[in-house]
Amino acid sequence: MSEQPVDPELRAPADDAEALQLLRDGEIDLEGRLLDASNVTLVGAVRTATLAAECVYKPVAGERPLWDFPDGTLAGREISAFLVSEAMGWQVVPPTVLRDGPFGPGMVQLWIDGDEDVDLPAFVRRDDPALRRMAVFDAVVNNADRKGGHIIPTPAGHVYGVDHGICFSIDPKLRTLLWRWAGKPLPAEAVAVLERLGDELRGDLGEELHEHLTRREVRTTQQRVAELLRTGRHPEPSGEWPALPWPPF
């Protein structure tokens, strides 16, 4: 979670449920913009009468058109990534909601403070269970942009992933720094998670994703899960699409 608020009358969310409540209901007070982001990405504080935290707000109106993704869909893809993350139970994606904000509807996500002592280029090369879970998650959502800067190890030891606006394409677009396990058998933990996820995608989770993705995109997500279970292995670069994001960090 983000750091405790300065205001002594407020406290930071104690868990993800409180964080989601805060993000849905809180008043957003913008403080600045992340200038290195390709789409408009604003940061600020979000507060209710009792809770406060830092947040990231990406208005749909600030999305840059892309040739391979429909206009105005990136916020919905971010929400979809959070829903899949929650269903998998690994908390890869920080608490995220879709709501109205100062510049219209957009994605609002809890700001995560990373561990400044971690050397990211070295960290992403580690055989770390959290990174391996993230690699499985990215294969499910077809993440086209897993840069090093989109990986946030926290001082508490949890590892989050952010910036999931270009996920869920119906075409194979996996681009990631996390190819360490390419072609290797999936851990038993991942197989169990994928089996459960497949069931949920055919049920309530699939219906919830239909609010943000096309039916074909949801169906292709189901197929990616089925293929991972069929092979029992981490995917390998296809050779038809650049395997690494650029820039990598």
Side-chain angles (χ1 to χ4, degrees):
M1 296 297 174
S2 56
E3 294 181 352
Q4 289 283 346
V6 175
D7 189 333
E9 299 298 320
L10 304 176
R11 63 176 177 84
D15 52 31
D16 283 0
E18 284 195 345
L20 288 169
Q21 176 190 350
L22 171 62
L23 294 172
R24 291 190 189 103
D25 302 335
E27 180 179 351
I28 298 173
D29 182 17
L30 296 177
E31 299 168 351
R33 177 179 177 180
L34 299 181
L35 296 178
D36 57 347
S38 56
N39 297 287
V40 173
T41 302
L42 305 169
V43 294
V46 57
R47 300 181 180 88
T48 63
T50 58
L51 300 172
E54 296 297 303
C55 69
V56 175
Y57 165 51
K58 298 181 182 180
V60 173
E63 294 180 4
R64 178 172 59 87
L66 300 172
W67 68 269
D68 52 348
F69 285 87
D71 293 353
T73 66
L74 303 191
R77 296 175 192 279
E78 296 250 26
I79 300 304
S80 298
F82 171 71
L83 294 174
V84 170
S85 169
E86 288 297 281
M88 296 179 81
W90 286 336
Q91 293 181 301
V92 173
V93 182
T96 309
V97 303
L98 185 67
R99 57 162 286 183
D100 199 31
F103 295 101
M107 183 280 287
V108 181
Q109 185 175 83
L110 188 71
W111 175 271
I112 300 297
D113 291 312
D115 188 342
E116 296 182 358
D117 293 330
V118 171
D119 180 354
L120 268 179
F123 179 75
V124 300
R125 295 194 295 270
R126 289 172 51 182
D127 187 7
D128 186 290
L131 293 178
R132 192 166 192 176
R133 294 184 193 109
M134 187 177 293
V136 175
F137 166 80
D138 284 345
V140 169
V141 302
N142 197 15
N143 190 351
D145 197 30
R146 177 60 75 198
K147 294 183 172 76
H150 298 169
I151 299 171
I152 306 178
T154 68
H158 191 79
V159 182
Y160 285 101
V162 297
D163 284 333
H164 298 102
I166 51 175
C167 293
F168 299 101
S169 172
I170 60 173
D171 300 315
K173 290 184 180 291
L174 184 60
R175 288 194 306 184
T176 177
L177 294 182
L178 304 178
W179 288 115
R180 179 186 181 93
W181 304 277
K184 293 185 177 181
L186 292 167
E189 175 199 24
V191 172
V193 166
L194 290 169
E195 289 175 342
R196 186 180 71 247
L197 180 64
D199 291 338
E200 295 192 26
L201 283 168
R202 291 186 291 272
D204 291 344
L205 175 61
E207 290 304 312
E208 196 169 6
L209 291 176
H210 285 144
E211 299 177 14
H212 310 290
L213 304 172
T214 67
R215 292 197 171 270
R216 189 177 179 190
E217 287 167 341
V218 175
R219 185 168 63 251
T220 306
T221 303
Q222 295 170 340
Q223 292 168 352
R224 285 193 296 271
V225 172
E227 181 65 10
L228 286 167
L229 288 170
R230 184 190 70 80
T231 65
R233 294 181 178 274
H234 286 268
E236 298 182 81
S238 67
E240 300 177 358
W241 177 258
L244 298 174
W246 191 261
F249 285 88

